[in-house]
């Protein structure tokens, strides 16, 4: 098994992107035959209603996680919630799932988005460089 620091986590729905406010988190590659990963999120209760509902319904969720450094591309996972433990105004959420390898590369999606937004030439190059460094996730909402 390999353990990594979780930098950010967002839930992807058909309607929107839901950022999870991380207090702390880690992600573990179980390195088993099924390519399973565990994600533990320590957060406040701001997103707990949505997660509680998904947990009760045993829904599969599509999430994207940034691992180790904020500069890294987000990695998409299909997960289910194994448990939710509340501690006063905080919660620990344990997710298990698999890495989705059939995704387009972040840079590819960003470039496609910028072209659709009308950027071209030097403006396209400058904006692409800027956004590759800051790694915004909001443009992905339009790709779902």
């Amino acid at each position: 098994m390999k353990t990594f620091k979780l930098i950010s986590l967002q839930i992807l729905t058909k309607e929107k992107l839901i950022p999870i406010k991380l207090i702390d988190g880690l992600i573990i590659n179980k390195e088993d035959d099924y390519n399973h990963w565990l994600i533990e999120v320590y957060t406040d209760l701001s997103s707990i209603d949505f997660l509680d509902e998904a947990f009760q319904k045993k829904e599969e969720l599509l999430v994207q996680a940034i691992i180790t450094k904020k500069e890294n591309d987000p990695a998409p996972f299909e997960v289910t919630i194994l448990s939710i433990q509340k501690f006063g105004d905080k919660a620990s959420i344990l997710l298990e799932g698999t890495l989705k390898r059939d995704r387009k590369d972040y840079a590819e999606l960003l470039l496609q988005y910028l072209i659709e937004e009308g950027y071209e030439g030097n403006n396209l190059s400058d904006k692409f460089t800027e956004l590759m460094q800051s790694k915004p996730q909001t443009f992905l909402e339009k790709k779902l």
Side-chain angles (χ1 to χ4, degrees):
M1 288 199 283
K2 293 180 183 170
T3 303
F4 306 92
K5 174 86 171 143
L6 185 62
I7 302 301
S8 76
L9 186 75
Q10 296 173 320
I11 299 169
L12 303 161
T13 70
K14 289 181 181 175
E15 298 84 34
K16 60 184 172 178
L17 199 74
I18 303 169
I20 302 301
K21 183 180 175 186
L22 282 184
I23 296 170
D24 204 1
L26 59 91
I27 184 164
I28 301 168
N29 181 349
K30 292 175 69 174
E31 296 184 329
D32 61 10
D33 292 338
Y34 306 103
N35 194 28
H36 284 142
W37 291 69
L38 289 174
I39 302 172
E40 185 173 15
V41 177
Y42 187 59
T43 185
D44 63 23
L45 299 180
S46 61
S47 301
I48 205 71
D49 290 338
F50 177 84
L51 294 169
D52 241 347
E53 185 177 325
F55 179 57
Q56 297 304 321
K57 293 179 179 178
K58 298 182 184 324
E59 289 181 30
E60 285 192 340
L61 300 172
L62 186 59
V63 302
Q64 59 184 22
I66 296 181
I67 304 167
T68 308
K69 295 185 286 188
K70 68 179 181 175
E71 297 83 23
N72 288 341
D73 286 350
F77 292 88
E78 192 169 334
V79 300
T80 55
I81 301 171
L82 296 179
S83 69
I84 297 176
Q85 297 294 319
K86 296 177 186 172
F87 308 99
D89 64 344
K90 308 284 188 280
S92 174
I93 299 128
L94 185 62
L95 310 166
E96 182 178 45
T98 56
L99 183 62
K100 302 286 288 177
R101 298 204 184 271
D102 60 344
R103 69 179 176 101
K104 284 189 174 182
D105 185 76
Y106 179 85
E108 242 180 281
L109 290 172
L110 177 59
L111 183 58
Q112 180 182 352
Y113 167 76
L114 291 174
I115 290 169
E116 289 171 3
E117 289 294 305
Y119 288 91
E120 53 187 38
N122 287 338
N123 288 338
L124 173 62
S125 178
D126 294 344
K127 192 67 170 177
F128 179 79
T129 300
E130 172 193 332
L131 295 179
M132 279 301 293
Q133 291 173 356
S134 66
K135 297 281 191 212
Q137 306 302 305
T138 52
F139 79 90
L140 289 172
E141 292 176 39
K142 295 182 179 182
K143 298 297 174 196
L144 300 178

